[in-house]
Amino acid sequence: MNNRDKSALALALAIAVLGVRSAAGFPLVDLSGDKSKDVLLAAGRPDLYQGHPTTVLLPDQRLIAVWCVPHGGWCGPAAESCDGGKSWMRIDGRFPAGFGRNANCPSIYRLVGPDGKARLWVWSQVKMPPDAKSHSDRRELGAPMPSVMSEDDGRSWREMPPLGPAFRCVMTFSSIVRLKDGSYLGMFHRGPGGRDRSPLEVLQSVTRDGGFTWSEPQVVCRVEGKNPCEPYVFRSPAGDELCCLMRENTHKGCSLMMFSRDEGKTWSTAVDTPWALTGDRHQGVTLPDGRLVIAFRDMAPASPTRGHFVAWVGPYAAIKSKAEADTYRIKLLHNYAGCDCGYPGIHLLPDGTIVATTYVKYWDDARQQSVVSVRFKIADTDRMKKGAEMQRPPHSVLEQMPPVNLPELIKR
């Protein structure tokens, strides 16, 4: 075995041991079998794939969801809930016809401009050429990052100009966070030429006028041998730091994270996330007690819920320290399609209910992916976690495994 092969084997074994040891001892609460918590927004059919929703919670507690059909496909589908996600009605007709020519992962945000006016925006990857025969036909010739905008909290919409060539991307803003000066920082990713190919890099841009114009995008994360993407940027509960969690698209280890203490002017070097936060397209909420609930598609090595829709619960400090104390996971939805699920919106309602919305292959039959919400309360999952701990043996063999020096082991 040559040195290169030995290194590759060492990496593979290290990932396997890390995954097995972490999966064996990490607390998990399973809600996926309780269908009473699930609400169907849009059912898949054998001939219809519903995917990639995002959601926004409005001050009057209405929820709006937007998504695309099929995978990475046409925008246009939308729904609204007036009862905290218990029921939804379709509102596709509120949007201009041109919205249906936008493609791939529509992302909805509510931004407040310097004039004090709140506006809803839905950005997408690309405005397709007028003669495109499908959502993937000559996509590279389309106009990058088109949008529709509402000035009445989603009751009516109008088309807005695409942001232009500098914003060519794999996916539009995966997350937007408000900065202390009232401006907004948006983050997205792309590969060479804006395409979905290695090496991927994460970029950021700032708007100071509530979303109409954006600064020239700048690259803030590149990692040799890895593919950072789908950044989720959020403010720490203390308010003094920004955290960015990123999907790592080689899926050979953990996800990536970086931090900024100067409002995104500079970022720390990206490092691995904790094992339990390894996944794709993170989105989260902060609880009144300061803990975070972060939902995502689980991609952790050796995880028993890999490929399903999960949430991580824990204090912010546990992200940076990678400590597992006082943290646990929730399996929210079971996915019957490998790893094709999990782009979520997640919101905390005034009564403590959390509404997490995603796409998932909900049925084990010919029907394709559906858009589904899960409604739950953290007080309930805390109790379930405590009950599981009381029944669990205090130690497992794997938890007591000593660290393994794999390169040294291979030399033997």
Side-chain angles (χ1 to χ4, degrees):
M1 183 182 290
N2 60 39
N3 289 335
R4 184 173 182 178
D5 290 340
K6 287 182 178 180
S7 297
L9 179 58
L11 175 61
L13 288 172
I15 292 169
V17 170
L18 165 68
V20 170
R21 292 181 66 185
S22 299
F26 202 86
L28 176 68
V29 170
D30 192 349
L31 299 182
S32 64
D34 185 356
K35 302 304 181 185
S36 69
K37 298 183 181 297
D38 303 346
V39 180
L40 192 65
L41 279 72
R45 304 193 307 255
D47 63 342
L48 180 62
Y49 178 112
Q50 315 255 20
H52 308 116
T54 59
T55 58
V56 66
L57 176 64
L58 303 177
D60 63 5
Q61 300 305 303
R62 283 181 298 132
L63 289 160
I64 295 178
V66 293
W67 64 96
C68 57
V69 294
H71 186 284
W74 302 110
C75 300
E80 180 182 77
S81 175
C82 299
D83 57 7
K86 296 176 185 176
S87 64
W88 296 79
M89 65 177 182
R90 293 293 289 265
I91 56 170
D92 308 25
R94 295 182 188 176
F95 291 81
F99 182 47
R101 299 300 298 178
N102 298 355
N104 195 22
C105 301
S107 297
I108 187 168
Y109 300 98
R110 188 176 191 267
L111 308 184
V112 179
D115 58 357
K117 179 73 173 177
R119 298 173 178 87
L120 297 182
W121 296 85
V122 181
W123 281 279
S124 310
Q125 179 202 16
V126 65
K127 169 74 72 176
M128 293 296 290
D131 56 347
K133 295 181 175 61
S134 74
H135 67 276
S136 57
D137 179 26
R138 294 171 297 130
R139 182 178 289 201
E140 70 277 4
L141 300 180
M145 280 212 204
S147 64
V148 293
M149 185 268 287
S150 172
E151 294 187 307
D152 55 11
D153 271 345
R155 294 175 176 86
S156 63
W157 297 81
R158 70 173 187 265
E159 285 193 81
M160 301 299 288
L163 294 185
F167 289 82
R168 194 165 294 283
C169 60
V170 175
M171 191 160 47
T172 188
F173 300 117
S174 296
S175 56
I176 295 177
V177 66
R178 194 170 196 180
L179 302 179
K180 290 180 178 178
D181 65 1
S183 61
Y184 291 87
L185 182 150
M187 302 187 85
F188 63 98
H189 77 277
R190 67 184 176 205
R195 297 187 179 184
D196 190 8
R197 64 184 185 191
S198 298
L200 298 177
E201 59 188 16
V202 169
L203 302 92
Q204 70 179 29
S205 177
V206 173
T207 178
R208 303 188 183 281
D209 57 11
F212 290 95
T213 61
W214 293 79
S215 64
E216 184 77 11
Q218 63 178 112
V219 176
V220 291
C221 185
R222 291 191 186 105
V223 181
E224 182 70 27
K226 298 190 176 185
N227 285 316
C229 59
E230 295 176 3
Y232 167 48
V233 59
F234 65 98
R235 188 170 296 280
S236 66
D240 58 350
E241 184 172 66
L242 298 179
C243 173
C244 180
L245 304 177
M246 294 167 284
R247 168 178 178 169
E248 199 292 287
N249 213 39
T250 69
H251 291 136
K252 294 180 179 178
C254 294
S255 293
L256 296 168
M257 60 183 179
M258 60 185 185
F259 302 89
S260 174
R261 298 189 66 84
D262 57 10
E263 297 296 281
K265 295 181 177 66
T266 61
W267 289 90
S268 64
T269 300
V271 297
D272 286 353
T273 62
W275 172 89
L277 271 169
T278 298
D280 300 344
R281 193 59 187 257
H282 305 79
Q283 294 288 320
V285 294
T286 301
L287 300 173
D289 63 10
R291 287 182 299 166
L292 302 170
V293 181
I294 300 175
F296 54 96
R297 173 202 297 162
D298 182 13
M299 295 300 292
S303 170
T305 54
R306 183 178 170 91
H308 302 292
F309 184 46
V310 304
W312 175 92
V313 182
Y316 180 76
I319 298 177
K320 298 190 74 172
S321 69
K322 303 185 184 181
E324 294 186 355
D326 301 318
T327 67
Y328 67 96
R329 282 173 141 205
I330 308 169
K331 184 182 179 184
L332 296 171
L333 287 169
H334 189 87
N335 174 42
Y336 288 99
C339 297
D340 190 11
C341 74
Y343 284 41
I346 184 169
H347 304 283
L348 177 64
L349 305 183
D351 70 351
T353 299
I354 295 172
V355 183
T357 305
T358 191
Y359 78 106
V360 66
K361 193 173 187 305
Y362 193 64
W363 295 285
D364 189 16
D365 57 24
R367 285 172 287 186
Q368 298 188 69
Q369 273 75 354
S370 302
V371 177
V372 184
S373 285
V374 184
R375 303 178 76 257
F376 65 99
K377 290 189 175 182
I378 207 69
D380 295 332
T381 58
D382 283 349
R383 281 193 293 270
M384 294 171 70
K385 184 237 182 186
K386 182 174 290 188
E389 286 179 337
M390 292 176 65
Q391 299 174 28
R392 179 170 165 259
H395 297 287
S396 72
V397 173
L398 284 168
E399 284 177 302
Q400 299 180 68
M401 283 174 58
V404 178
N405 188 331
L406 288 167
E408 185 63 33
L409 184 64
I410 289 172
K411 287 180 184 177
R412 299 175 189 173

